[in-house]
Every structure is written in structure tokens, then in C-alpha cells.
Amino acid sequence: FLHHPFKIFQEEINMFIDIHAHAYRFKPVFGCGFCTAEELIAEYDNATLYNDFVMGKIVNEYIDQNAVIVYVSDHGESVFDNGIRSYGRAPGSRDIHRVKNELHVPMWIWVSDKFINSDKKRYEKILNSSSRPFCTADIPYLLYDLIGLDFNFNDKTKSLISDTFVPHEIVY
């Protein structure tokens, strides 16, 4: 089960999910026409695998340099989560599970060995921040901190790796 955006990926590695199921059919999405729930989940998983593949290529470009990569998804997605037979985003939804799935987005920070060796203190700050809740509106403050930029109006309480970090209140 594979559609055109992912054909190049399939030729390079063989990790795709192949589902042929006879369940409810849903409206067209991604590239699969009218799909079963299992096919939609496979399409979503394939898109995620492709994203991971691309990010891996980017990391490999910087693996021998003094580098930091910050990855943040632009949105989350509900794909038949929490027993709800639905998928996609639902702006204005009052279903707290769907809202959380859309607003809680993947984020990671990758650092090269050269970065670790050149700035162990900052690396430790990154490690210590791994379980902190973070608002994507504060990415500039994180980036300032990662590159060591400071200025009069820099609010260090908004940098994920700052010792003075204060998480935003989460309001749905």
C-alpha cells in the first residue's frame, strides 16, 4: 500500500506498512482514495516513516560538524486515537483528546559529537530539559540560548534549556 509521494522512499529502504483490510471506507485522504481505517493508519505511518527518513538524511549531513538540529512538527494529528473512529485535525473541536493530539507535537533536539565535546555545559542543559513541557511560540528563545545569543529583551524564562525556564500554562 504505497502512493506516489513515497515511491522514492520505498526504493531506498523497505519499511512500509502494507494493509489490505475490509473495514469501513472513509473519504479520500492522502493518496489512497476511499480508504479503510487500517489503510489510513498505514498511510499516516508511511508519511511518518518518510519524515524520519528525511530527518535522518539531514542529521547525516551534519554528523561530523559542530551542530545542533531542532525539529518541531507543525501540528499533531488524530488517527483513530482513544477509540474514536476519526482522523485528521478538527479545528474548533471540543473533544479534549482530539485537541491534545493536535496541539501536542513531536519535538527533538539532536547534537553532534563535536557539539558535545565543545560545549558540555549546554549539552547537559539540553539533556536536563528533555521532559519539560514546551510551547512552540518560544522557539526563538531556545534558539538564542542554543547559539549563545543574549540581548536586553531576551526572556530566558522562555528558553527550554534555561535554568530559569518557566513552562506556559496549558489551556485547551
Side-chain angles (χ1 to χ4, degrees), residues 129-169:
S129 69
S130 66
S131 63
R132 292 178 174 172
F134 184 64
C135 178
T136 57
D138 293 338
I139 287 176
Y141 300 98
L142 168 63
L143 297 177
Y144 303 149
D145 215 352
L146 285 170
I147 64 171
L149 180 64
D150 199 7
F151 49 93
N152 290 340
F153 301 103
N154 185 10
D155 187 350
K156 292 191 179 234
T157 66
K158 294 183 177 184
S159 169
L160 180 66
I161 66 170
S162 171
D163 294 332
T164 59
F165 173 74
V166 177
H168 283 263
E169 178 185 355

Side-chain angles (χ1 to χ4, degrees), residues 109-126:
I109 301 173
W110 174 87
V111 296
S112 67
D113 288 340
K114 283 186 178 181
F115 178 88
I116 294 168
N117 292 329
S118 70
D119 199 339
K120 291 188 188 316
K121 183 178 177 184
R122 201 171 318 230
Y123 174 63
E124 287 297 321
K125 286 181 161 196
I126 293 168

Side-chain angles (χ1 to χ4, degrees), residues 47-94:
T48 301
L49 285 169
Y50 181 71
N51 186 65
D52 290 349
F53 171 76
V54 170
M55 293 312 302
K57 291 270 194 189
I58 293 169
V59 165
N60 284 334
E61 288 292 316
Y62 294 94
I63 204 153
D64 294 325
Q65 298 180 36
N66 186 359
V68 177
I69 297 174
V70 177
Y71 172 85
V72 182
S73 181
D74 61 337
H75 61 80
E77 194 85 18
S78 289
V79 185
F80 303 96
D81 297 322
N82 303 309
I84 300 168
R85 289 195 60 81
S86 66
Y87 64 91
R89 294 184 302 279
S93 174
R94 293 191 176 169

